[in-house]
Amino acid sequence: MCGIALIVGNDADPALFRRMLESLTPRGDVQEELPEELRTIGGGPATGLLAGTQRLRIVDRDRAVQPWVSPDEAWVLCYNGEVFNYRELRAELGAAGRELRSESDTEVVLEAFLEWGEAAVGKLRGEFAFAIVERATGRVFLARDPLGVKPLYWSRRGGRIHIASEVKALVPVGARVTEVPPGHHGWATPVTGPRLAPYVDLLRLGEDQVPIEDPDEAAKLVRAALQDSIRIRVDTDLTVGVVLSGGLDSSLTLLQVREMHPDCVAFTVGAPGSPDLDYAKRLTRDLGVHHEVVELRPRDIRMGEIREAIRMGELSEYGDIINAVVSVPLFRRVHETGVKVVLTGDGSDELFGGYPMYHEVGPAAARRLFLHKIRNLCRTELQRVDRTSMGQGVEARVPFLDLALVELAMRMPLSLKMRNGKEKWIVREAFADILPDYIRQRPKNPMSYSSGLHERARLYKARFARAHHAFGYGLLEPLRRDFDHVLMKCDNDLDAAIRESAVRQDYTLMEHARDFAGALRWFTGGRAPY
């Protein structure tokens, strides 16, 4: 995976481009730029196209140089991500008569586009975001993966379009920043667009497919889909890490990775004596998997750590920032060990009913809540994972959010997701024969609560907005109240919560004061065992 940066339009500013590209330095281990002789568009000035990447070398590490240029030099690709079915597509392209020069998925993306046009995006199975520039016209084709695992943003100023993997790269442009939505693609020029359309509609997932109501059938399908999703994500000659909380989803991921790719290692962050560490240590000991533990104490979290999580994460909700505070040291340890690829258990709660709200409303309302959460993962959980991992040169892959598994989950009724008092019942059932009982029966805990560090970070919440604003991230969107908090106050009425969030974006001073007092009481009341 990579960080990409482009400026398209006459008289593009080389100094601005360097700032953009250098801000993405942590996302890769080599910086690559388009050669000077290819920086013209439509026969115009010599700086009509500036493009570069910070490339994290994983697939065909020596030859997958970016920006990737077509043999006739007519097209330029800047690409961030992994296409996991690239070998199958490569064979299909070869059969169609296309000659390929590498073994990389990067080349496959451009060749697929040249062979099949916009329809190529629907053939890509992976986690990706890319920009393809037609040098003769200056047109740019933008595309982002179905769930928005990989980020893509754009900004326009002075008759030029600026494109990048992160908001921080576009802040120096000084204009409004806009996100390319997940599952969208389309064309832009330096002065118009992008005109984007969905090739996957996340708000209609499973709508026209036959429901799956038989528990045995559902369990078999879930098992097969998740195993296949993990299998294609561990297809590498590198050591694979697993972010392990000791909960159901990450433990299940580790169990499967260990079988499919024995060269693996687990990583856990938590406070000494916290539930996460206890469960994770027991599981890795039972499996014989090497375990890297990052121990944090509440006193280790100060405003400096909060500010770094805000800077790196670019997140716009308080709860995601708090979780990022915990993720930053975790992925720092991953990077220090030399591991480049990790798998996480993110996304399972949003698919299989891991939160109480889904079970407190009727089936129709629950379905809307599921789809709303899935559609917004790109700016919450997935953004946290991308920034805190890639911000330290680590590629995080999310097998629960393979589109086939997401569509499968949305064909299942609530009765398969909550049963006998257990959330994500169908997942537990699908893997009942391999899950240790102590994992299968473990109750769900939010990430930073179970790591024992949430209350400490809460002490600084009133200062989050100032830091967020100082980094210029308001060019995309301001820091907002946690939508789940608003939703709970609105009795899980989605429409009411959306209206309430639009009326008042941030917490009031009184709400911040109450939150601070609650966190302080937690510490002074002797409830901080870590």
Side-chain angles (χ1 to χ4, degrees):
M1 294 191 179
C2 308
I4 69 173
L6 304 91
I7 305 178
V8 186
N10 289 336
D11 299 317
D13 183 350
L16 173 60
F17 173 71
R18 282 194 295 273
R19 289 182 66 188
M20 292 172 60
L21 189 57
E22 288 171 2
S23 73
L24 301 172
T25 297
R27 295 185 71 94
D29 47 28
V30 60
Q31 179 171 307
E32 298 168 334
E33 298 181 35
L34 188 68
E36 288 188 14
E37 63 270 20
L38 298 177
R39 295 180 181 180
T40 61
I41 55 172
T47 56
L49 170 59
L50 300 177
T53 63
Q54 301 289 353
R55 181 165 65 96
L56 188 62
R57 293 172 289 189
I58 293 175
V59 178
D60 198 355
R61 295 185 278 277
D62 295 329
R63 290 184 293 177
V65 176
Q66 290 202 52
W68 188 269
V69 182
S70 63
D72 60 3
E73 299 183 344
W75 300 87
V76 174
L77 166 69
C78 284
Y79 161 61
N80 169 31
E82 300 289 343
V83 170
F84 302 119
N85 64 334
Y86 75 96
R87 289 191 180 92
E88 294 91 331
L89 293 175
R90 191 178 191 279
E92 192 174 343
L93 289 165
R98 304 203 74 90
E99 296 183 3
L100 281 77
R101 298 166 281 161
S102 75
E103 297 292 331
S104 72
D105 60 328
T106 301
E107 182 179 21
V108 166
V109 169
L110 183 54
E111 290 295 324
F113 175 78
L114 296 178
E115 179 68 21
W116 299 306
E118 298 177 22
V121 179
K123 290 177 169 283
L124 306 179
R125 184 183 181 188
E127 303 165 358
F128 56 82
F130 60 82
I132 298 175
V133 182
E134 184 181 37
R135 292 184 58 233
T137 64
R139 293 197 307 157
V140 188
F141 181 74
L142 302 174
R144 190 176 182 191
D145 67 71
L147 276 296
V149 178
K150 292 292 100 183
L152 191 59
Y153 303 92
W154 63 275
S155 184
R156 176 176 284 109
R157 188 166 191 172
R160 291 174 288 276
I161 188 168
H162 307 72
I163 301 160
S165 295
E166 297 188 9
V167 179
K168 61 178 64 68
L170 295 174
V171 168
V173 178
R176 179 186 175 191
V177 176
T178 303
E179 178 184 38
V180 174
H184 280 64
H185 62 20
W187 290 91
T189 75
V191 295
T192 63
R195 295 184 176 89
L196 302 171
Y199 64 93
V200 173
D201 189 345
L202 293 180
L203 296 180
R204 299 186 64 184
L205 289 170
E207 189 174 284
D208 299 321
Q209 296 175 291
V210 178
I212 302 169
E213 298 181 347
D214 178 73
D216 292 335
E217 179 190 8
K220 289 176 183 177
L221 290 171
V222 167
R223 183 168 181 141
L226 182 58
Q227 286 179 330
D228 183 57
S229 180
I230 292 174
R231 177 187 58 79
I232 63 173
R233 285 168 172 78
V234 297
D235 182 12
T236 177
D237 61 348
L238 300 174
T239 299
V240 172
V242 175
V243 176
L244 177 66
S245 70
L248 174 67
D249 311 314
S250 63
S251 297
L252 184 52
T253 301
L254 179 62
L255 283 161
Q256 296 295 296
V257 170
R258 176 179 171 272
E259 292 300 313
M260 300 176 187
H261 193 88
D263 182 13
C264 64
V265 56
F267 295 88
T268 304
V269 61
S274 67
D276 279 359
L277 294 192
D278 293 342
Y279 280 97
K281 287 178 179 178
R282 182 177 178 183
L283 182 64
T284 52
R285 185 170 58 249
D286 290 350
L287 295 178
V289 172
H290 179 67
H291 191 200
E292 290 283 335
V293 175
V294 181
E295 290 193 348
L296 291 179
R297 291 170 174 79
R299 63 175 177 268
D300 297 328
I301 297 177
R302 300 178 177 85
M303 191 57 205
E305 285 69 35
I306 301 288
R307 187 177 294 109
E308 177 62 3
I310 294 172
R311 183 201 68 79
M312 188 180 290
E314 307 176 344
L315 293 153
S316 58
E317 291 192 17
Y318 286 82
D320 294 316
I321 291 172
I322 290 173
N323 283 337
V325 171
V326 180
S327 297
V328 169
L330 172 69
F331 286 112
R332 184 184 301 130
R333 173 67 62 84
V334 177
H335 176 75
E336 289 169 351
T337 65
V339 172
K340 284 187 175 183
V341 175
V342 299
L343 271 62
T344 82
D346 292 279
S348 177
D349 291 319
E350 287 76 12
L351 301 187
F352 295 106
Y355 302 120
M357 63 181 179
Y358 300 123
H359 314 289
E360 296 171 354
V361 295
R367 177 176 174 79
R368 289 193 64 212
L369 288 175
F370 273 112
L371 294 174
H372 179 86
K373 287 284 286 186
I374 290 168
R375 169 59 181 82
N376 283 278
L377 278 170
C378 64
R379 52 174 292 276
T380 54
E381 284 294 293
L382 289 177
Q383 182 171 325
R384 172 186 60 81
V385 172
D386 174 80
R387 301 301 195 281
T388 56
S389 61
M390 289 298 291
Q392 299 175 97
V394 176
E395 175 181 307
R397 301 175 177 180
V398 282
F400 277 97
L401 292 178
D402 190 90
L403 182 60
L405 185 56
V406 175
E407 290 178 329
L408 178 64
M410 292 314 299
R411 294 168 59 193
M412 296 181 183
L414 272 173
S415 60
L416 293 182
K417 299 179 180 183
M418 171 67 85
R419 185 172 291 195
N420 301 328
K422 290 291 183 183
E423 86 287 342
K424 296 182 285 192
W425 178 84
I426 193 61
V427 178
R428 300 173 195 271
E429 190 70 11
F431 294 92
D433 60 321
I434 67 169
L435 280 169
D437 191 62
Y438 60 89
I439 296 295
R440 193 178 176 205
Q441 300 301 325
R442 185 186 177 187
K444 166 70 182 172
N445 281 311
M447 177 184 169
S448 53
Y449 281 97
S450 53
S451 66
L453 302 165
H454 181 274
E455 298 299 333
R456 174 70 179 191
R458 277 180 62 199
L459 292 173
Y460 298 94
K461 278 181 68 175
R463 300 167 67 180
F464 286 15
R466 179 178 294 181
H468 185 273
H469 177 77
F471 288 119
Y473 298 155
L475 289 171
L476 177 69
E477 62 176 322
L479 188 62
R480 299 174 180 273
R481 288 185 290 169
D482 297 301
F483 188 78
D484 287 350
H485 175 81
V486 179
L487 188 64
M488 182 179 65
K489 285 199 164 189
C490 294
D491 296 324
N492 298 317
D493 183 326
L494 181 59
D495 292 325
I498 291 172
R499 288 193 300 270
E500 171 65 17
S501 292
V503 170
R504 181 163 62 84
Q505 295 177 340
D506 203 353
Y507 293 105
T508 65
L509 289 175
M510 183 62 70
E511 286 172 324
H512 276 307
R514 284 199 297 265
D515 198 46
F516 177 83
L520 195 60
R521 281 196 302 273
W522 192 81
F523 280 98
T524 59
R527 286 177 286 177
Y530 316 118

